[in-house]
Amino acid sequence: MSSVIILDFGSQYTQLIARRVRELGVYSEILPYHTPFEKLQLLNPQALIFSGGPASVYDKFAPMPDKRLFSLRKPILGICYGLQAIAKHFGGKVQNAKRREFGRAKITIARNGSSNQLFAGVDDSEVWMSHGDKVTQLPSGFRVTARSENSELCAVEMISETDRIFGLQFHPEVHHTEQGKKILSNFLFEIAGLKADWSPKNFIESEIDKVRQMVGKQKVICAISGGVDSTVAATLVSQAIGKNLRCVFVDNGLLRKNEAKEVRTALGTLNLNLNVVDASSLFLSRLHRVVDPEKKRRIIGRTFIEVFESELKHETFLVQGTLYPDVIESVSVNGPSQTIKTHHNVGGLPKRMKLKLIEPLRELFKDEVRQVGKLLHVPDAILKRHPFPGPGLAVRVLGAVTKERCDVLREADAIFISELKTHGLYDKTWQAFAVLLPIQSVGVMGDNRTYENVIALRAVNSVDGMTADWTPLPNDFLALVSNRIINEVRGVNRVVYDVSSKPPATIEWE
């Protein structure tokens, strides 16, 4: 089977590179940049990709690829920091840019009579930049293949009888790079000569086999929320071990309106062995007066585990629907990536647990999970649900979390979602929700002064959750939703709409 090794230098987008490669039907594996050379030799990949990263190549302890990698004579693609590491290795110069470049930029492709294989069939177009350093002097033997206004050496290559080395200052793996997938396709198929012989079906077969080998005849308990991730994880594990799986749904008091009832109905179609536990009082009591979002996540993570452990019968494993965006934003997995925020089911877990974790979706993105779920015959009613954070309304009620504040948010959120569905906008939006802000504002109702809560509405479009654009919902629709919330939800006198994208914002507010 064709394979690509992606060496992680700490980019938040490293797994997105792997996802794009898998989308193109090629098996990829992420390894730390410091993986022993001998191991890489044994794996014998057909191509190497160097990821981006937060470091600067001129730092004293900057992460650098093993020099022997270049002696493998495999096609190499360096992205952002990966390009800079290649340039430094071959004697080029990298410096701090006078003007940083974050977001969209226009590239101009060099058409100087040579083949320019990496950009074959690619037009001058927008790409996604995220860098503070840039290559300012080309190494000997390299030539420029694309430029941007701020990066004159935006794309480079060195092609000889023995070497095929390419570098990009921008991120082709990010959805905002208009022809990024075509660029990666050119590298994989036209340059490296790989075959498209990997699919989600292969993933399912591989994971089922892994679970069977890990679990044997032992019992497994599954944390299930009724959302896409945990439901697909439960269904996959159920196919592996059958009746040895028991699913537990915890009502933590942080759910949306009528969610517990709706989850029971939806999961009933999958014939999963389901237990429902009401632990709302426990969760809310532990969140009393806690306003720091990281503390909220850690408290919820620990409490979830305690609840599951109290429900244990003979189980020794816990299944979670953890996805890679959760992992990469919470902890440094394969390289020196920075923590963006702790997800309750990753960095929020206690160090010592009675249960061993099974996370079959840990290396997947949301859209890949939906593809896997479809193959596992999970109903569309579940697969098309908008993402909902594990900590629930605790990270949408900004500031102190109380039952009363959650109730206000529940009502506002229910109005927003119901109107999206009524107007045919729900399935056209990747994720939408309401947020209760920790402020109050002055208003006028019935000639009386009010000083009440502010609700923020958030709707975004995304492919994988790593980047997202705010959704331009119709003004008359927003006016309708605002009017309904202010008139029907007591305690709210102002509604605002969030028009920030990810990055620089995250999708959730906390």
Side-chain angles (χ1 to χ4, degrees), residues 245-274:
L245 171 70
R246 183 167 63 95
C247 297
V248 174
F249 173 78
V250 175
D251 183 349
N252 57 10
L254 305 169
L255 304 175
R256 291 166 290 193
K257 188 175 181 180
N258 298 324
E259 188 160 13
K261 181 180 179 181
E262 291 172 2
V263 166
R264 282 190 182 190
T265 301
L267 294 180
T269 64
L270 292 171
N271 297 315
L272 294 172
N273 181 17
L274 180 67

PDB file of all heavy atoms in Angstrom, residues 245-274:
ATOM      1  N   LEU A 245     -20.123  -4.569  25.087  1.00  0.00           N
ATOM      2  CA  LEU A 245     -20.146  -3.111  25.192  1.00  0.00           C
ATOM      3  C   LEU A 245     -21.423  -2.655  25.872  1.00  0.00           C
ATOM      4  O   LEU A 245     -22.516  -3.088  25.525  1.00  0.00           O
ATOM      5  CB  LEU A 245     -20.065  -2.471  23.800  1.00  0.00           C
ATOM      6  CG  LEU A 245     -20.295  -0.956  23.763  1.00  0.00           C
ATOM      7  CD1 LEU A 245     -19.125  -0.219  24.413  1.00  0.00           C
ATOM      8  CD2 LEU A 245     -20.486  -0.478  22.328  1.00  0.00           C
ATOM      9  N   ARG A 246     -21.285  -1.754  26.857  1.00  0.00           N
ATOM     10  CA  ARG A 246     -22.432  -1.130  27.520  1.00  0.00           C
ATOM     11  C   ARG A 246     -22.260   0.376  27.427  1.00  0.00           C
ATOM     12  O   ARG A 246     -21.221   0.924  27.781  1.00  0.00           O
ATOM     13  CB  ARG A 246     -22.527  -1.557  28.989  1.00  0.00           C
ATOM     14  CG  ARG A 246     -23.745  -1.008  29.726  1.00  0.00           C
ATOM     15  CD  ARG A 246     -23.939  -1.730  31.060  1.00  0.00           C
ATOM     16  NE  ARG A 246     -22.820  -1.506  31.954  1.00  0.00           N
ATOM     17  CZ  ARG A 246     -22.787  -0.554  32.900  1.00  0.00           C
ATOM     18  NH1 ARG A 246     -23.813   0.273  33.034  1.00  0.00           N
ATOM     19  NH2 ARG A 246     -21.741  -0.437  33.689  1.00  0.00           N
ATOM     20  N   CYS A 247     -23.304   1.068  26.936  1.00  0.00           N
ATOM     21  CA  CYS A 247     -23.238   2.513  26.748  1.00  0.00           C
ATOM     22  C   CYS A 247     -23.925   3.239  27.899  1.00  0.00           C
ATOM     23  O   CYS A 247     -24.989   2.822  28.360  1.00  0.00           O
ATOM     24  CB  CYS A 247     -23.903   2.909  25.427  1.00  0.00           C
ATOM     25  SG  CYS A 247     -23.084   2.215  23.977  1.00  0.00           S
ATOM     26  N   VAL A 248     -23.316   4.323  28.348  1.00  0.00           N
ATOM     27  CA  VAL A 248     -23.875   5.129  29.434  1.00  0.00           C
ATOM     28  C   VAL A 248     -24.006   6.570  28.965  1.00  0.00           C
ATOM     29  O   VAL A 248     -23.050   7.180  28.497  1.00  0.00           O
ATOM     30  CB  VAL A 248     -22.987   5.069  30.685  1.00  0.00           C
ATOM     31  CG1 VAL A 248     -23.499   6.026  31.754  1.00  0.00           C
ATOM     32  CG2 VAL A 248     -22.916   3.651  31.229  1.00  0.00           C
ATOM     33  N   PHE A 249     -25.225   7.088  29.081  1.00  0.00           N
ATOM     34  CA  PHE A 249     -25.490   8.490  28.763  1.00  0.00           C
ATOM     35  C   PHE A 249     -25.683   9.235  30.072  1.00  0.00           C
ATOM     36  O   PHE A 249     -26.523   8.871  30.886  1.00  0.00           O
ATOM     37  CB  PHE A 249     -26.744   8.611  27.889  1.00  0.00           C
ATOM     38  CG  PHE A 249     -27.182  10.029  27.657  1.00  0.00           C
ATOM     39  CD1 PHE A 249     -26.527  10.820  26.721  1.00  0.00           C
ATOM     40  CD2 PHE A 249     -28.235  10.575  28.380  1.00  0.00           C
ATOM     41  CE1 PHE A 249     -26.930  12.127  26.496  1.00  0.00           C
ATOM     42  CE2 PHE A 249     -28.634  11.887  28.161  1.00  0.00           C
ATOM     43  CZ  PHE A 249     -27.980  12.662  27.222  1.00  0.00           C
ATOM     44  N   VAL A 250     -24.878  10.273  30.276  1.00  0.00           N
ATOM     45  CA  VAL A 250     -24.930  11.040  31.520  1.00  0.00           C
ATOM     46  C   VAL A 250     -25.638  12.367  31.289  1.00  0.00           C
ATOM     47  O   VAL A 250     -25.214  13.169  30.451  1.00  0.00           O
ATOM     48  CB  VAL A 250     -23.505  11.298  32.070  1.00  0.00           C
ATOM     49  CG1 VAL A 250     -23.573  12.194  33.301  1.00  0.00           C
ATOM     50  CG2 VAL A 250     -22.821   9.995  32.417  1.00  0.00           C
ATOM     51  N   ASP A 251     -26.703  12.588  32.034  1.00  0.00           N
ATOM     52  CA  ASP A 251     -27.360  13.894  32.040  1.00  0.00           C
ATOM     53  C   ASP A 251     -26.628  14.740  33.081  1.00  0.00           C
ATOM     54  O   ASP A 251     -26.812  14.570  34.286  1.00  0.00           O
ATOM     55  CB  ASP A 251     -28.841  13.743  32.405  1.00  0.00           C
ATOM     56  CG  ASP A 251     -29.582  15.074  32.346  1.00  0.00           C
ATOM     57  OD1 ASP A 251     -28.911  16.124  32.233  1.00  0.00           O
ATOM     58  OD2 ASP A 251     -30.816  15.059  32.433  1.00  0.00           O
ATOM     59  N   ASN A 252     -25.767  15.642  32.595  1.00  0.00           N
ATOM     60  CA  ASN A 252     -24.930  16.424  33.509  1.00  0.00           C
ATOM     61  C   ASN A 252     -25.520  17.792  33.847  1.00  0.00           C
ATOM     62  O   ASN A 252     -24.849  18.628  34.450  1.00  0.00           O
ATOM     63  CB  ASN A 252     -23.526  16.598  32.920  1.00  0.00           C
ATOM     64  CG  ASN A 252     -23.546  17.253  31.553  1.00  0.00           C
ATOM     65  OD1 ASN A 252     -24.585  17.744  31.104  1.00  0.00           O
ATOM     66  ND2 ASN A 252     -22.411  17.246  30.876  1.00  0.00           N
ATOM     67  N   GLY A 253     -26.763  18.018  33.442  1.00  0.00           N
ATOM     68  CA  GLY A 253     -27.383  19.308  33.709  1.00  0.00           C
ATOM     69  C   GLY A 253     -26.903  20.405  32.789  1.00  0.00           C
ATOM     70  O   GLY A 253     -27.276  21.569  32.956  1.00  0.00           O
ATOM     71  N   LEU A 254     -26.083  20.032  31.805  1.00  0.00           N
ATOM     72  CA  LEU A 254     -25.489  21.004  30.891  1.00  0.00           C
ATOM     73  C   LEU A 254     -25.913  20.722  29.454  1.00  0.00           C
ATOM     74  O   LEU A 254     -25.229  21.112  28.502  1.00  0.00           O
ATOM     75  CB  LEU A 254     -23.960  20.963  31.009  1.00  0.00           C
ATOM     76  CG  LEU A 254     -23.411  21.164  32.426  1.00  0.00           C
ATOM     77  CD1 LEU A 254     -21.930  20.829  32.475  1.00  0.00           C
ATOM     78  CD2 LEU A 254     -23.657  22.588  32.908  1.00  0.00           C
ATOM     79  N   LEU A 255     -27.049  20.032  29.305  1.00  0.00           N
ATOM     80  CA  LEU A 255     -27.546  19.656  27.991  1.00  0.00           C
ATOM     81  C   LEU A 255     -28.474  20.722  27.433  1.00  0.00           C
ATOM     82  O   LEU A 255     -28.960  21.600  28.153  1.00  0.00           O
ATOM     83  CB  LEU A 255     -28.292  18.329  28.075  1.00  0.00           C
ATOM     84  CG  LEU A 255     -27.503  17.147  28.655  1.00  0.00           C
ATOM     85  CD1 LEU A 255     -28.413  15.928  28.778  1.00  0.00           C
ATOM     86  CD2 LEU A 255     -26.294  16.834  27.801  1.00  0.00           C
ATOM     87  N   ARG A 256     -28.734  20.625  26.131  1.00  0.00           N
ATOM     88  CA  ARG A 256     -29.695  21.535  25.499  1.00  0.00           C
ATOM     89  C   ARG A 256     -31.120  21.117  25.829  1.00  0.00           C
ATOM     90  O   ARG A 256     -31.351  20.056  26.407  1.00  0.00           O
ATOM     91  CB  ARG A 256     -29.457  21.528  23.983  1.00  0.00           C
ATOM     92  CG  ARG A 256     -28.157  22.186  23.579  1.00  0.00           C
ATOM     93  CD  ARG A 256     -27.766  21.884  22.153  1.00  0.00           C
ATOM     94  NE  ARG A 256     -27.364  20.492  21.964  1.00  0.00           N
ATOM     95  CZ  ARG A 256     -26.740  20.043  20.876  1.00  0.00           C
ATOM     96  NH1 ARG A 256     -26.460  20.870  19.889  1.00  0.00           N
ATOM     97  NH2 ARG A 256     -26.411  18.771  20.774  1.00  0.00           N
ATOM     98  N   LYS A 257     -32.073  21.919  25.452  1.00  0.00           N
ATOM     99  CA  LYS A 257     -33.468  21.679  25.789  1.00  0.00           C
ATOM    100  C   LYS A 257     -33.953  20.348  25.206  1.00  0.00           C
ATOM    101  O   LYS A 257     -33.749  20.062  24.025  1.00  0.00           O
ATOM    102  CB  LYS A 257     -34.334  22.825  25.248  1.00  0.00           C
ATOM    103  CG  LYS A 257     -35.785  22.763  25.704  1.00  0.00           C
ATOM    104  CD  LYS A 257     -36.553  23.985  25.235  1.00  0.00           C
ATOM    105  CE  LYS A 257     -38.000  23.928  25.708  1.00  0.00           C
ATOM    106  NZ  LYS A 257     -38.779  25.120  25.271  1.00  0.00           N
ATOM    107  N   ASN A 258     -34.542  19.515  26.055  1.00  0.00           N
ATOM    108  CA  ASN A 258     -35.113  18.206  25.685  1.00  0.00           C
ATOM    109  C   ASN A 258     -34.076  17.234  25.124  1.00  0.00           C
ATOM    110  O   ASN A 258     -34.429  16.235  24.488  1.00  0.00           O
ATOM    111  CB  ASN A 258     -36.239  18.372  24.656  1.00  0.00           C
ATOM    112  CG  ASN A 258     -37.391  19.191  25.187  1.00  0.00           C
ATOM    113  OD1 ASN A 258     -37.731  19.102  26.366  1.00  0.00           O
ATOM    114  ND2 ASN A 258     -37.995  19.997  24.336  1.00  0.00           N
ATOM    115  N   GLU A 259     -32.793  17.501  25.349  1.00  0.00           N
ATOM    116  CA  GLU A 259     -31.764  16.677  24.711  1.00  0.00           C
ATOM    117  C   GLU A 259     -31.749  15.242  25.217  1.00  0.00           C
ATOM    118  O   GLU A 259     -31.567  14.302  24.429  1.00  0.00           O
ATOM    119  CB  GLU A 259     -30.387  17.305  24.907  1.00  0.00           C
ATOM    120  CG  GLU A 259     -29.300  16.616  24.105  1.00  0.00           C
ATOM    121  CD  GLU A 259     -28.077  17.483  23.913  1.00  0.00           C
ATOM    122  OE1 GLU A 259     -27.955  18.518  24.588  1.00  0.00           O
ATOM    123  OE2 GLU A 259     -27.242  17.125  23.079  1.00  0.00           O
ATOM    124  N   ALA A 260     -31.913  15.025  26.510  1.00  0.00           N
ATOM    125  CA  ALA A 260     -31.874  13.667  27.063  1.00  0.00           C
ATOM    126  C   ALA A 260     -32.929  12.777  26.408  1.00  0.00           C
ATOM    127  O   ALA A 260     -32.654  11.633  26.028  1.00  0.00           O
ATOM    128  CB  ALA A 260     -32.071  13.705  28.574  1.00  0.00           C
ATOM    129  N   LYS A 261     -34.138  13.311  26.250  1.00  0.00           N
ATOM    130  CA  LYS A 261     -35.220  12.544  25.627  1.00  0.00           C
ATOM    131  C   LYS A 261     -34.911  12.257  24.167  1.00  0.00           C
ATOM    132  O   LYS A 261     -35.109  11.136  23.678  1.00  0.00           O
ATOM    133  CB  LYS A 261     -36.530  13.325  25.750  1.00  0.00           C
ATOM    134  CG  LYS A 261     -37.736  12.617  25.147  1.00  0.00           C
ATOM    135  CD  LYS A 261     -38.999  13.463  25.316  1.00  0.00           C
ATOM    136  CE  LYS A 261     -40.210  12.777  24.688  1.00  0.00           C
ATOM    137  NZ  LYS A 261     -41.443  13.612  24.837  1.00  0.00           N
ATOM    138  N   GLU A 262     -34.409  13.262  23.454  1.00  0.00           N
ATOM    139  CA  GLU A 262     -34.103  13.097  22.026  1.00  0.00           C
ATOM    140  C   GLU A 262     -32.982  12.083  21.804  1.00  0.00           C
ATOM    141  O   GLU A 262     -33.014  11.308  20.846  1.00  0.00           O
ATOM    142  CB  GLU A 262     -33.725  14.444  21.420  1.00  0.00           C
ATOM    143  CG  GLU A 262     -34.905  15.415  21.334  1.00  0.00           C
ATOM    144  CD  GLU A 262     -34.478  16.810  20.915  1.00  0.00           C
ATOM    145  OE1 GLU A 262     -33.260  17.003  20.658  1.00  0.00           O
ATOM    146  OE2 GLU A 262     -35.338  17.709  20.845  1.00  0.00           O
ATOM    147  N   VAL A 263     -31.998  12.088  22.686  1.00  0.00           N
ATOM    148  CA  VAL A 263     -30.877  11.141  22.558  1.00  0.00           C
ATOM    149  C   VAL A 263     -31.362   9.715  22.739  1.00  0.00           C
ATOM    150  O   VAL A 263     -30.981   8.808  21.993  1.00  0.00           O
ATOM    151  CB  VAL A 263     -29.773  11.479  23.581  1.00  0.00           C
ATOM    152  CG1 VAL A 263     -28.782  10.337  23.709  1.00  0.00           C
ATOM    153  CG2 VAL A 263     -29.052  12.751  23.163  1.00  0.00           C
ATOM    154  N   ARG A 264     -32.206   9.499  23.732  1.00  0.00           N
ATOM    155  CA  ARG A 264     -32.740   8.143  23.946  1.00  0.00           C
ATOM    156  C   ARG A 264     -33.446   7.630  22.694  1.00  0.00           C
ATOM    157  O   ARG A 264     -33.268   6.472  22.293  1.00  0.00           O
ATOM    158  CB  ARG A 264     -33.736   8.149  25.112  1.00  0.00           C
ATOM    159  CG  ARG A 264     -33.106   8.180  26.475  1.00  0.00           C
ATOM    160  CD  ARG A 264     -34.173   7.924  27.528  1.00  0.00           C
ATOM    161  NE  ARG A 264     -33.656   7.983  28.882  1.00  0.00           N
ATOM    162  CZ  ARG A 264     -34.338   7.613  29.957  1.00  0.00           C
ATOM    163  NH1 ARG A 264     -35.569   7.164  29.820  1.00  0.00           N
ATOM    164  NH2 ARG A 264     -33.807   7.694  31.145  1.00  0.00           N
ATOM    165  N   THR A 265     -34.257   8.472  22.100  1.00  0.00           N
ATOM    166  CA  THR A 265     -35.008   8.080  20.904  1.00  0.00           C
ATOM    167  C   THR A 265     -34.078   7.756  19.748  1.00  0.00           C
ATOM    168  O   THR A 265     -34.225   6.727  19.073  1.00  0.00           O
ATOM    169  CB  THR A 265     -35.968   9.214  20.485  1.00  0.00           C
ATOM    170  OG1 THR A 265     -36.863   9.497  21.574  1.00  0.00           O
ATOM    171  CG2 THR A 265     -36.768   8.812  19.267  1.00  0.00           C
ATOM    172  N   ALA A 266     -33.094   8.623  19.518  1.00  0.00           N
ATOM    173  CA  ALA A 266     -32.176   8.430  18.394  1.00  0.00           C
ATOM    174  C   ALA A 266     -31.319   7.179  18.560  1.00  0.00           C
ATOM    175  O   ALA A 266     -31.135   6.401  17.617  1.00  0.00           O
ATOM    176  CB  ALA A 266     -31.284   9.659  18.239  1.00  0.00           C
ATOM    177  N   LEU A 267     -30.803   6.974  19.764  1.00  0.00           N
ATOM    178  CA  LEU A 267     -29.927   5.822  19.989  1.00  0.00           C
ATOM    179  C   LEU A 267     -30.702   4.507  20.000  1.00  0.00           C
ATOM    180  O   LEU A 267     -30.122   3.444  19.782  1.00  0.00           O
ATOM    181  CB  LEU A 267     -29.165   5.987  21.306  1.00  0.00           C
ATOM    182  CG  LEU A 267     -28.160   7.136  21.346  1.00  0.00           C
ATOM    183  CD1 LEU A 267     -27.476   7.195  22.706  1.00  0.00           C
ATOM    184  CD2 LEU A 267     -27.114   6.974  20.252  1.00  0.00           C
ATOM    185  N   GLY A 268     -32.003   4.596  20.233  1.00  0.00           N
ATOM    186  CA  GLY A 268     -32.806   3.378  20.240  1.00  0.00           C
ATOM    187  C   GLY A 268     -32.796   2.666  18.904  1.00  0.00           C
ATOM    188  O   GLY A 268     -32.931   1.437  18.833  1.00  0.00           O
ATOM    189  N   THR A 269     -32.595   3.417  17.821  1.00  0.00           N
ATOM    190  CA  THR A 269     -32.583   2.805  16.490  1.00  0.00           C
ATOM    191  C   THR A 269     -31.330   1.973  16.242  1.00  0.00           C
ATOM    192  O   THR A 269     -31.285   1.179  15.308  1.00  0.00           O
ATOM    193  CB  THR A 269     -32.673   3.902  15.412  1.00  0.00           C
ATOM    194  OG1 THR A 269     -31.510   4.738  15.484  1.00  0.00           O
ATOM    195  CG2 THR A 269     -33.921   4.749  15.604  1.00  0.00           C
ATOM    196  N   LEU A 270     -30.288   2.165  17.061  1.00  0.00           N
ATOM    197  CA  LEU A 270     -29.028   1.441  16.865  1.00  0.00           C
ATOM    198  C   LEU A 270     -28.928   0.186  17.734  1.00  0.00           C
ATOM    199  O   LEU A 270     -27.932  -0.536  17.676  1.00  0.00           O
ATOM    200  CB  LEU A 270     -27.846   2.366  17.174  1.00  0.00           C
ATOM    201  CG  LEU A 270     -27.649   3.523  16.190  1.00  0.00           C
ATOM    202  CD1 LEU A 270     -26.602   4.498  16.718  1.00  0.00           C
ATOM    203  CD2 LEU A 270     -27.240   3.005  14.815  1.00  0.00           C
ATOM    204  N   ASN A 271     -29.960  -0.032  18.563  1.00  0.00           N
ATOM    205  CA  ASN A 271     -29.989  -1.214  19.427  1.00  0.00           C
ATOM    206  C   ASN A 271     -28.757  -1.327  20.324  1.00  0.00           C
ATOM    207  O   ASN A 271     -28.224  -2.420  20.563  1.00  0.00           O
ATOM    208  CB  ASN A 271     -30.124  -2.491  18.584  1.00  0.00           C
ATOM    209  CG  ASN A 271     -31.425  -2.534  17.819  1.00  0.00           C
ATOM    210  OD1 ASN A 271     -32.489  -2.235  18.377  1.00  0.00           O
ATOM    211  ND2 ASN A 271     -31.357  -2.891  16.538  1.00  0.00           N
ATOM    212  N   LEU A 272     -28.293  -0.184  20.814  1.00  0.00           N
ATOM    213  CA  LEU A 272     -27.166  -0.196  21.741  1.00  0.00           C
ATOM    214  C   LEU A 272     -27.682  -0.416  23.156  1.00  0.00           C
ATOM    215  O   LEU A 272     -28.766   0.029  23.525  1.00  0.00           O
ATOM    216  CB  LEU A 272     -26.407   1.136  21.678  1.00  0.00           C
ATOM    217  CG  LEU A 272     -25.700   1.452  20.356  1.00  0.00           C
ATOM    218  CD1 LEU A 272     -25.158   2.877  20.379  1.00  0.00           C
ATOM    219  CD2 LEU A 272     -24.563   0.465  20.091  1.00  0.00           C
ATOM    220  N   ASN A 273     -26.913  -1.105  23.961  1.00  0.00           N
ATOM    221  CA  ASN A 273     -27.248  -1.343  25.362  1.00  0.00           C
ATOM    222  C   ASN A 273     -27.026  -0.047  26.129  1.00  0.00           C
ATOM    223  O   ASN A 273     -25.896   0.311  26.452  1.00  0.00           O
ATOM    224  CB  ASN A 273     -26.365  -2.468  25.907  1.00  0.00           C
ATOM    225  CG  ASN A 273     -26.677  -2.789  27.355  1.00  0.00           C
ATOM    226  OD1 ASN A 273     -27.733  -2.406  27.875  1.00  0.00           O
ATOM    227  ND2 ASN A 273     -25.754  -3.468  28.019  1.00  0.00           N
ATOM    228  N   LEU A 274     -28.109   0.712  26.399  1.00  0.00           N
ATOM    229  CA  LEU A 274     -27.981   2.078  26.897  1.00  0.00           C
ATOM    230  C   LEU A 274     -28.513   2.220  28.318  1.00  0.00           C
ATOM    231  O   LEU A 274     -29.605   1.787  28.638  1.00  0.00           O
ATOM    232  CB  LEU A 274     -28.749   3.032  25.969  1.00  0.00           C
ATOM    233  CG  LEU A 274     -28.721   4.511  26.338  1.00  0.00           C
ATOM    234  CD1 LEU A 274     -27.306   5.071  26.184  1.00  0.00           C
ATOM    235  CD2 LEU A 274     -29.697   5.290  25.457  1.00  0.00           C
TER     236      LEU A 274
END
